[in-house]
Amino acid sequence: MYGRGLRFLSIASFVALTVAFALVFFYAPNDADQGFVYKIFFLHVPLALVALGGFVAGGIYGIKHLRSGRREDDMKSYVAIHLSIILGLATLATGMIWAKASWGHWWVWDEPTLVAFLIVFLLYSCYQPLRFAIEDPERQARYAAVFAVIAGAFVPICFMSVRFAQASVTHPRVLDSSGSLPGSMQLTLLVSLGAMVLLFMTLWKYELTSKHAKAQLRTLKRRLALGA
Amino acid sequence: MSTAGAVAALLRKDLRLELRTRESVPAMLLFSVSTFVIFRFGLDRETLAGDLAAGVLWVTLLFAAVLGINRLFVAEREEGGFDAFLLAPVDRTAMLWAKALLLFAFLTAVELAAVPVYSVLLLGPSPFQALPGLAGLLVLANAGIAVVGTLVAALAIQTRARDLIVPLLALPLLLPIVIAGAQATAPLFAPAGAEPLPGRWLTVLGLYDVIFGLVAFAVFDFLLED
């Protein structure tokens, strides 16, 4: 039941990623100041947005699990957060490469978006230690869902207070100023973002399918052992 | 029994326990004073002023709070208080408010002693001008630490590695309080005398308290269910 549509999703995200990278390399113009290196932005921004979106999805499925108590919702929340942590690590890595290339330092503290993202990433990194320190599976699911909700509420507060603490804002704000981007860059960014969303959904579905198949296999084995 | 009555009963029980065992508050206070001494040598300064003074005070109070958070539910866990509470016909959020008020009281008690000690040991400028602003900030910050600390303590108490989970979760979650507190206290500790308190940080702290108060109210039930 979980495997349905997986082949289509995989092909679609492969095609979308290929198109996105083709656009990044051959279609989007080089930046006037930064030249070629700014193009990491077409990877960095979608990664960051999809990671934050994944955290939000984890929180929503967490609420769903608390309301319904169904195991699938907890699995969905867990896989979304766990994939977003990986994407978050990639976001920090690409952000640091870009910062080194354009500002000359690997890490810049007077950069609210970077710092807030780091704090959020540190908080979500505690998800797995917390989850696997609880043995009882039902309690594990419930506590993980509570964590997902708390952390979800924390994200906007964190971004707000870190931004307040900085007098100047140098980080490019893509979402506010997308009107100021040239059309070709905007198109490339949108395609890259779409491809990243597809990739996230494919990976999410793959992991859910695998977890579901494993659980089914375990039930079958147990039944076989009982029968024999 | 009304919720307010249950909160009062739980709070009375915990305060009496603390008065008899003297476990949390003295430990938090001793830890704070030791940390001041560590900062004196770690930073190699005999007096502090401005943003450095604000930072040292808030970091110390944060770490002392983590100690208190770690101990918050230990008595319930070890002596079966959770089961007794769940058997009682009262609203489960009573436990949240009672523990948050208790943590608030602990933090206030620690600060009443730690801030004077800090101003004698390390603070350069006179603390008296800064006092009204600092008191307001501390009250708002204590409320936030109390609510988030109670949530974290309740999350961690049922895990195998409570001592590890509490600081791991509490430090990032409480960072906005340290940011707001340190930023707002820096002008109060200015070397040339206290400057006015930037009001927007009070807004940030108030917003943090309200949001996490609501979140805690919404999710706390699930941490006690069994």
Side-chain angles (χ1 to χ4, degrees):
Chain A
M1 134 195 147
Y2 272 101
R4 196 175 300 154
L6 201 51
R7 179 178 300 166
F8 171 75
L9 254 179
S10 315
I11 295 171
S13 55
F14 179 76
V15 171
L17 274 176
T18 316
V19 170
F21 277 111
L23 285 178
V24 168
F25 281 111
F26 302 114
Y27 174 65
N30 276 350
D31 188 77
D33 308 328
Q34 299 180 19
F36 178 73
V37 80
Y38 93 97
K39 284 188 176 177
I40 198 169
F41 140 100
F42 293 116
L43 190 59
H44 173 69
V45 174
L47 275 172
L49 291 178
V50 172
L52 289 177
F55 289 142
V56 172
I60 291 172
Y61 279 115
I63 295 176
K64 265 182 124 174
H65 172 75
L66 289 179
R67 293 175 67 106
S68 69
R70 292 192 319 161
R71 198 152 172 70
E72 296 97 271
D73 288 331
D74 169 57
M75 271 297 129
K76 284 176 181 168
S77 164
Y78 165 60
V79 174
I81 288 179
H82 145 92
L83 282 174
S84 292
I85 292 171
I86 299 172
L87 292 191
L89 198 61
T91 306
L92 286 173
T94 51
M96 282 170 77
I97 294 170
W98 192 17
K100 177 70 184 167
S102 72
W103 300 323
H105 299 282
W106 289 109
W107 188 259
V108 190
W109 278 111
D110 56 357
E111 185 43 71
T113 318
L114 210 64
V115 175
F117 196 89
L118 175 70
I119 298 171
V120 168
F121 175 76
L122 283 177
L123 177 65
Y124 275 100
S125 305
C126 307
Y127 180 81
Q128 305 222 356
L130 172 72
R131 192 183 169 97
F132 295 114
I134 303 171
E135 277 137 16
D136 177 42
E138 249 177 63
R139 173 175 282 159
Q140 187 186 70
R142 207 168 58 230
Y143 278 41
V146 168
F147 175 87
V149 175
I150 297 173
F154 175 76
V155 171
I157 299 181
C158 177
F159 271 83
M160 187 190 71
S161 54
V162 173
R163 189 169 284 276
F164 264 29
Q166 245 66 49
S168 68
V169 176
T170 48
H171 194 279
R173 302 199 62 187
V174 181
L175 289 181
D176 288 7
S177 56
S178 52
S180 69
L181 276 179
S184 55
M185 286 192 190
Q186 214 174 325
L187 177 74
T188 314
L189 180 64
L190 282 178
V191 173
S192 316
L193 184 59
M196 196 57 75
V197 171
L198 273 175
L199 178 68
F200 184 87
M201 281 170 62
T202 313
L203 291 174
W204 186 65
K205 222 167 150 52
Y206 257 116
E207 193 164 346
L208 278 176
T209 312
S210 133
K211 285 210 184 318
H212 186 72
K214 238 183 230 167
Q216 265 182 330
L217 186 65
R218 211 175 309 132
T219 332
L220 285 177
K221 267 187 184 160
R222 202 173 302 140
R223 207 178 290 166
L224 208 59
L226 280 180
Chain B
M1 198 182 212
S2 71
T3 306
V7 171
L10 283 169
L11 190 59
R12 241 189 344 264
K13 183 265 293 175
D14 277 328
L15 284 175
R16 184 173 298 155
L17 198 66
E18 176 63 21
L19 281 177
R20 290 194 182 157
T21 60
R22 296 203 186 82
E23 217 172 40
S24 292
V25 175
M28 288 160 80
L29 184 61
L30 264 178
F31 176 85
S32 306
V33 177
S34 311
T35 312
F36 293 148
V37 177
I38 287 174
F39 271 120
R40 183 259 173 262
F41 290 102
L43 298 172
D44 199 18
R45 303 270 182 95
E46 286 175 7
T47 58
L48 298 175
D51 48 3
L52 200 55
V56 167
L57 180 64
W58 281 94
V59 168
T60 305
L61 292 179
L62 174 75
F63 287 152
V66 170
L67 283 192
I69 295 170
N70 230 335
R71 307 287 312 165
L72 202 57
F73 283 105
V74 170
E76 265 75 15
R77 170 94 169 137
E78 284 172 1
E79 311 293 337
F82 280 127
D83 299 331
F85 176 72
L86 287 176
L87 285 175
V90 293
D91 190 2
R92 284 169 188 174
T93 39
M95 180 72 105
L96 166 70
W97 301 131
K99 287 292 180 184
L101 283 172
L102 180 74
L103 191 54
F104 185 90
F106 282 4
L107 290 168
T108 312
V110 168
E111 282 152 8
L112 281 177
V115 172
V117 168
Y118 182 61
S119 47
V120 169
L121 286 183
L122 278 177
L123 194 60
S126 155
F128 294 107
Q129 286 172 303
L131 218 49
L134 187 60
L137 282 172
L138 284 175
V139 167
L140 281 176
N142 286 354
I145 297 176
V147 170
V148 173
T150 308
L151 270 182
V152 169
L155 264 176
I157 192 71
Q158 306 285 9
T159 63
R160 266 174 308 172
R162 166 171 55 86
D163 311 352
L164 291 179
I165 297 288
V166 166
L168 272 183
L169 283 182
L171 292 184
L173 275 176
L174 294 176
L175 244 167
I177 288 189
V178 175
I179 294 174
Q183 293 272 338
T185 313
L188 295 178
F189 287 164
E195 290 161 16
L197 176 76
R200 57 182 179 155
W201 292 115
L202 290 174
T203 322
V204 171
L205 282 175
L207 206 62
Y208 182 94
D209 294 355
V210 170
I211 291 178
F212 276 108
L214 291 174
V215 171
F217 182 67
V219 299
F220 191 75
D221 273 14
F222 298 106
L223 296 178
L224 285 186
E225 214 170 84
D226 252 324

